[in-house]
Amino acid sequence: MHKRIARASVLAAAAAALTFAVSGCSDSGGDEAACKEAIAEEFKKAQAGKDVSDDRPSECEGISDETGERLVEEVTKEEMKGLEDSLDAP
């Protein structure tokens, strides 16, 4: 149980950091798939306890704040699902 809480806390902190990292740009047709992949990579770094950049990933240039936040939310949900599945496995 304590592992689950600790892991969820790390994921929440990573998601919050990534939300700030992708904010600050207007939508000018950036590549959502590439941005989401970059967010997932940063998320995995944060989850592993590695330093992550406070800057917007270059793959997310041209992505609006709203879209960036949605992508962070999608990545967070996917990672949380993976975490739940791994904790439920025998």
Side-chain angles (χ1 to χ4, degrees), residues 47-79:
Q47 190 176 5
K50 297 178 182 176
D51 288 334
V52 294
S53 175
D54 290 337
D55 297 328
R56 173 187 287 263
S58 60
E59 296 87 351
C60 296
E61 291 301 321
I63 300 290
S64 70
D65 291 350
E66 182 179 304
T67 301
E69 289 173 13
R70 178 181 51 80
L71 294 173
V72 169
E73 185 178 315
E74 288 174 10
V75 169
T76 303
K77 284 180 181 178
E78 290 166 8
E79 292 297 322

Side-chain angles (χ1 to χ4, degrees), residues 10 14 38-53:
V10 168
I39 291 168
E41 286 301 315
E42 288 292 303
F43 199 95
K44 289 175 185 172
K45 286 181 190 175
Q47 190 176 5
K50 297 178 182 176
D51 288 334
V52 294
S53 175

Side-chain angles (χ1 to χ4, degrees), residues 8-37:
S9 296
V10 168
L11 291 174
L18 288 170
T19 298
F20 290 115
V22 298
S23 64
C25 189
S26 62
D27 197 359
S28 61
D31 184 347
E32 285 188 31
C35 180
K36 185 173 178 178
E37 186 175 325

